[in-house]
Amino acid sequence: MSFETSQTAKEQQEVSWSDCYDVPGPDLFEKVMRFAGTADKARLLFPHFLRRPVCSANVNRVKMTDRYTGQVRDMIMLGSNSYLGLTNHPKVIEAAVEATKKYGYGAGSVSLYSGTTDLHIELEKRMAAFYQCEDAIIFPTGYAANVSTIAALLHEQDVAVNDLYNHASIFDGCKLSGAKIETYAHARMGHLERVLQENCGDDHGTLVITDGVFSMEGDVARLDEIVRLARTFNARVMLDDAHSLGVIGPTGKGTAEKFGLQGKIDVTVGTLSKCLGGIGGVVAGSAELVDYLRFYARAYFFSGAVPAPVIAGSLAILDIMEEQPEIRENLWQSVRYMIENLSAAGFKLCKTQSAIIPVVIGDETKLKNMLRDLTQAGIFMNYVASPAVARNKCRLRMSMMAGHSRKDLDYVIETMEALGRKYDIL
Ligand SMILES: Cc1ncc(COP(=O)(O)O)c(C=O)c1O
């Protein structure tokens, strides 16, 4: 009997995606069929919040196909991680086009064989200098950088110590490594200390892993405390600075710069997929660490290299970031303006310190209805619900970008206020 026919309408309504994960039984596709029921339902009822096709560059204003009318329309984009909005900057496009002409559009190989171009070497050097480290290595994605680096460094006897809110790729790398996985409550340094006390020892290694900016909360890790505690217990520190690059620190060099710890973090992970506008991951550290990763981090060996046009685009964005710090300042003005106005209106915001502004709604039906209304009003935001966050903390997740006009920001604030009143959230 299929899931559709074996459930009542009410039960079906209450099935969440996580209920389709642990489905025991001899047929592996039972979970697939169960999910098909809920996914269909979600698609039918809420076509406005996932996989909405963008038909233009993903910058402040985008063109999107309206699924209700089939018409292409303008939307204000508050759901992209390209925080500096540079992905279609003329210099970036020119760099990528020139690289395409010279190198072709694909890398044709993994990095360890023929996938590395002179541009890759240039970007590695550039990223090493950016993080004040001796060397850097480029991975196919930030996800692959986290998974492969952790699995290369930790083995069965070792311990990974994680902030509970670390990115999924960090937990996946920990699982793959076979190491013991310990977590501490989000940002609770007393808890981290206890975990280290209980888990550090002379017969194994310990790696404390933290996001720099936490992607669902927007807050910044207490890196100074984390480094101090790790040193006390002779553990190493790995920092995933995916959302910090270009945003956090006096010159946008990330969380270590904010805390005056540049060059002092054992392993720093960055990504080309957010501020740097493309795709790819970076790991920076000592020359010895990077050499080790070039041979033992499996995604470097067993997955294709980032294509040269993307590398060229990232290099161009690094140039623009250096030449025009006012772009980052503009981003921060918009972030502050949005936080001030939404807080004044009475919205419950997480304690963000970054370009990610989570607006807690707390009720999934209201969240979905709000998102539908925002979409109809021409505003794109992201939807975050269980299991990514607790059900009663489901939220709208706004990612701010440099270059939004004050008129657009005011329109978003007015629309949010009207919807906050409509759904009794304020
Ligand atoms: C904190 C964090 N780390 C790593 C990643 C993975 O980066 P990438 O998109 O380059 O695979 C993400 C992406 O969402 C992220 O948010």
Side-chain angles (χ1 to χ4, degrees), residues 81 141-144 146 167 169-170 211 213 215 240 242-243 271-274 279-281:
N81 298 321
T141 62
Y143 183 95
N146 272 336
H167 190 254
S169 55
I170 295 176
D211 281 12
V213 167
S215 51
D240 174 357
H243 293 276
T271 176
L272 313 187
S273 74
K274 305 196 190 301
I279 179 130

Side-chain angles (χ1 to χ4, degrees), residues 59-62 75-80 82-85 330-331 333-335 337-338 379-380 398-410 412:
V59 287
N60 309 120
R61 275 178 164 267
V62 296
M75 301 275 289
I76 299 173
M77 173 51 71
L78 288 168
S80 158
S82 183
Y83 301 115
L84 297 179
N330 176 283
L331 165 70
Q333 277 168 10
S334 294
V335 170
Y337 189 72
M338 190 56 86
I379 300 170
F380 186 108
M398 307 170 69
S399 307
M400 303 300 293
M401 249 192 254
H404 276 298
S405 69
R406 192 47 72 87
K407 193 167 160 239
D408 278 358
L409 295 183
D410 284 338
V412 171

